[in-house]
Amino acid sequence: MSAKTRIVVLHMREVIYTVIFAALAILLILLLFFMFRADKKSDAQETMGYVSGVYTSSIVLNNQTMDVKVVVDNNRINAISLDNLDETAATMYPLMQPALDNISQQIYEKQSTENITYDENNQYTSMVLLNAVKDALKKAEPETGGDAEKETEEETDAA
């Protein structure tokens, strides 16, 4: 067997073009990878943003109006309280303030109204208060816009 030796002659111009095209292909693949990867952190941060301010939602119980006031800044729920709770309403609905304290403590810890738990003894009171807090937080979302101190009425008959 005779082995024939082949000599390959490469022109420098061809080598340079091949290296440039290979580098461009790698750069394009990296660019596509970074553009279309799933970035879950930015989505979660966008949904948690609020417009800073004080937002209220009204609750009407047997012709007595109480306001749930929620104070938020850009990304945090700072305070939740009951306004316009007179002595008559406090006497007729003694579980309002303790239920709100329980709910607000959980909301401060979670910074969300999801998965809030409450006692079975005051579940209806807690549900009414939680819905009022959710309504106030909807006003604080940037998509809906809105100015501070807007009110929406939620009429509820609790026995």
Side-chain angles (χ1 to χ4, degrees):
M1 285 182 86
S2 67
K4 293 185 179 180
T5 307
R6 291 189 178 183
I7 299 175
V8 178
V9 178
L10 298 175
H11 296 284
M12 189 56 121
R13 185 181 332 161
E14 293 173 357
V15 173
I16 291 174
Y17 286 153
T18 304
V19 169
I20 289 174
F21 285 130
L24 286 175
I26 291 171
L27 182 66
L28 180 65
I29 290 171
L30 288 174
L31 179 69
L32 290 174
F33 174 74
F34 285 116
M35 283 179 55
F36 294 113
R37 72 178 178 168
D39 191 17
K40 294 181 180 179
K41 288 184 180 179
S42 66
D43 293 342
Q45 290 174 351
E46 289 176 9
T47 58
M48 288 298 296
Y50 298 113
V51 176
S52 298
V54 177
Y55 299 90
T56 60
S57 180
S58 296
I59 302 172
V60 179
L61 297 171
N62 293 334
N63 297 328
Q64 294 183 350
T65 303
M66 293 167 259
D67 294 329
V68 176
K69 181 171 72 170
V70 180
V71 180
V72 296
D73 60 8
N74 290 339
N75 58 356
R76 189 161 174 81
I77 302 168
N78 292 328
I80 301 172
S81 63
L82 275 174
D83 282 349
N84 300 333
L85 182 66
D86 58 358
E87 289 181 26
T88 308
T91 304
M92 289 181 65
Y93 307 105
L95 297 177
M96 290 294 274
Q97 192 61 47
L100 184 69
D101 292 340
N102 181 20
I103 291 172
S104 61
Q105 184 62 33
Q106 293 180 48
I107 292 173
Y108 296 151
E109 291 172 2
K110 297 178 184 179
Q111 289 298 309
S112 172
T113 56
E114 301 298 319
N115 301 324
I116 301 295
T117 59
Y118 37 81
D119 278 343
E120 291 182 15
N121 296 338
N122 57 0
Q123 71 180 19
Y124 298 111
T125 305
S126 298
M127 287 171 41
V128 168
L129 290 171
L130 188 59
N131 287 336
V133 170
K134 286 180 181 179
D135 287 343
L137 287 175
K138 281 182 188 176
K139 296 178 203 175
E141 291 176 355
E143 291 83 26
T144 59
D147 299 325
E149 296 293 336
K150 282 189 176 178
E151 294 184 13
T152 7
E153 289 190 13
E154 175 184 325
E155 294 187 14
T156 309
D157 290 326

